[in-house]
Structures are given as C-alpha cells and as structure tokens.
C-alpha cells in the first residue's frame, strides 16, 4: 500500500513540474524566428561593420599569458 502511495505522489509531482515548465516557457510569437529563410537577414538585425583591436583588446585576449607570446597566438591578428 505504501509503495502505491509513493508512486501516486511521484506522478503528481511530475505532472505539476511539467505544468510549470509549459506555462513558464516562452511562446514562439514572443521572439523572431531565425532560420526560416537562412539566405535572408532579419529586418533590423545588427550588422558588425568593423572591430577596433586596441591594446585593451589584446590584453583581454591574452589574459593568462606572459611575453614572449607563442607564435601560435598570431591567429589573433585575423580575429
């Protein structure tokens, strides 16, 4: 009898948890859908026009390293 009572309460918990997840999930209409026409950009989508890599950018990119930097980190010039 106890075993059945635990099983029933477990079921109730799962149903409650599923209900909470479904009601708190964002609806598809709240966000723009990307990927429907992958060859087109969404209207108003941000465009990266350029990146300025100053000393601060390199400092952050090389965090944890000390000079002399390994030549393998030259890829940062093309980032």
């Amino acid at each position: 009898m106890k075993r059945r009572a635990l099983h029933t309460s477990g079921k109730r918990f799962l149903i409650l948890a599923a209900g909470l997840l479904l009601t708190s999930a964002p609806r598809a209409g709240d966000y723009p859908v990307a990927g429907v026409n992958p060859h087109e950009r969404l209207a108003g989508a941000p465009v990266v026009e350029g990146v300025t890599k100053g000393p601060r950018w390199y400092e952050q990119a090389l965090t944890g390293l000390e000079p002399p930097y390994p030549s393998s980190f030259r890829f940062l010039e093309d980032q």
Side-chain angles (χ1 to χ4, degrees), residues 20-60:
L20 288 173
L21 286 173
L22 291 173
T23 58
S24 64
R27 292 179 295 275
D30 294 344
Y31 299 98
V33 177
V36 176
N37 297 319
H39 60 283
E40 298 176 5
R41 288 184 60 81
L42 291 175
V47 177
V48 177
E49 295 179 358
V51 176
T52 304
K53 296 187 285 186
R56 178 75 181 116
W57 186 91
Y58 280 102
E59 181 182 325
Q60 186 174 4

Side-chain angles (χ1 to χ4, degrees), residues 46-78:
V47 177
V48 177
E49 295 179 358
V51 176
T52 304
K53 296 187 285 186
R56 178 75 181 116
W57 186 91
Y58 280 102
E59 181 182 325
Q60 186 174 4
L62 296 169
T63 299
L65 297 173
E66 293 183 16
Y69 301 118
S71 61
S72 61
F73 280 88
R74 292 192 59 124
F75 76 92
L76 290 173
E77 296 171 7
D78 299 322

